[in-house]
Amino acid sequence: ARIPCFYECSLKEAPRLLPWYTEEPTEEEKEKMKAMAEEGASNNINSSSTSENIDAKAKLLKRASKLNWNLDSKSGIKEAAQDLTTLCTKDHLVDVPNDDKITKMEIGRLVVQNRSKTASEVMELVIHKFGLTQAKIEKEKKQAKSLSAVCGNAENVGVMQAILELGDLYFKEGNRNAGATYKKVAQAIKELTFEITAENAKGLGKGKTKVCVCVYV
């Protein structure tokens, strides 16, 4: 799916780690590029390598390893899904949906699809699917900082983030039309120079400042 980017600048001002190469880079230049790429990956907003995230993941895997793991029967699979759901929601370490039924259904699907794996291995899959709560918080903070630099009014960053998140969810569900619509709404919010408030939000569904009637504070 095509997801629009909100950053705009001239070609000359486009940020680059290294200049454009017109010839094959030397081995020294290649090593330098590789080092920069690795450094960038370690600072990626999706990274969960902070000590807090590492501790959370280790705690989850340790708890999972102590579960009574027997997937030879339907009742065993049901119990495994419930136990993993409980571990994920306890202390809110995993960023699972707020609806426990949906969480249990999604985790149950992973359990069924990976019967040959241990509880800890399935927990790894669960963490990969939903992500750690602390990692999400860190990502949102970095995203807010980036968006504030391009948003017409920095006070609208929170609303813009919420709209972008909804768009991402629709794209993940395969609903490209809804996802693209929310991305357009986010683009419109980015261009607003005034702050969106509870008083003016309803009026943003009309005229030149048309955003979306679903935007609220």
Side-chain angles (χ1 to χ4, degrees):
R2 180 181 179 184
I3 301 177
C5 173
F6 300 109
Y7 182 76
E8 296 179 0
C9 70
S10 66
L11 181 60
K12 292 183 179 180
E13 296 175 338
R16 288 183 56 78
L17 293 176
L18 291 172
W20 296 100
Y21 285 100
T22 56
E23 299 179 356
E24 180 72 17
T26 64
E27 291 301 318
E28 183 180 352
E29 289 170 334
K30 288 181 180 180
E31 286 300 319
K32 187 177 180 180
M33 286 190 286
K34 182 179 179 181
M36 287 183 170
E38 290 175 350
E39 181 181 356
S42 65
N43 295 323
N44 190 282
I45 59 175
N46 292 317
S47 174
S48 59
S49 60
T50 64
S51 59
E52 192 169 349
N53 289 320
I54 292 174
D55 290 343
K57 184 176 181 180
K59 185 182 294 184
L60 287 164
L61 295 179
K62 184 176 180 180
R63 289 175 179 175
S65 67
K66 296 180 180 181
L67 293 177
N68 180 23
W69 197 252
N70 187 346
L71 307 181
D72 294 332
S73 64
K74 289 184 179 180
S75 61
I77 292 174
K78 185 176 181 180
E79 181 182 352
Q82 180 59 62
D83 288 345
L84 285 178
T85 300
T86 301
L87 291 184
C88 290
T89 55
K90 183 179 181 180
D91 301 330
H92 307 288
L93 295 178
V94 182
D95 186 34
V96 294
N98 293 326
D99 191 324
D100 287 348
K101 290 184 178 179
I102 295 177
T103 300
K104 184 178 178 180
M105 182 180 66
E106 292 293 330
I107 291 178
R109 186 176 291 118
L110 287 174
V111 171
V112 171
Q113 293 173 347
N114 298 276
R115 292 192 185 187
S116 62
K117 296 184 181 296
T118 65
S120 296
E121 289 173 335
V122 176
M123 177 58 84
E124 283 265 17
L125 296 175
V126 172
I127 294 172
H128 179 74
K129 179 178 179 62
F130 296 108
L132 296 170
T133 301
Q134 183 59 32
K136 180 183 179 182
I137 293 173
E138 293 169 1
K139 175 181 177 180
E140 288 177 345
K141 287 181 179 178
K142 291 180 180 180
Q143 184 187 54
K145 185 177 180 180
S146 298
L147 291 178
S148 63
V150 297
C151 203
N153 189 306
E155 297 299 324
N156 295 332
V157 169
V159 179
M160 188 175 175
Q161 273 188 293
I163 296 300
L164 286 171
E165 184 174 354
L166 285 171
D168 289 338
L169 289 173
Y170 277 115
F171 275 118
K172 289 179 180 178
E173 291 177 354
N175 190 339
R176 295 185 179 182
N177 289 334
T181 297
Y182 276 96
K183 295 299 180 182
K184 289 179 181 178
V185 172
Q187 175 66 28
I189 293 174
K190 172 206 164 197
E191 296 173 357
L192 294 179
T193 56
F194 58 86
E195 179 184 358
I196 298 174
T197 65
E199 290 71 31
N200 64 25
K202 292 184 178 180
L204 296 178
K206 300 177 182 180
K208 292 183 179 180
T209 58
K210 183 175 181 180
V211 176
C212 182
V213 294
C214 69
V215 175
Y216 63 91
V217 177

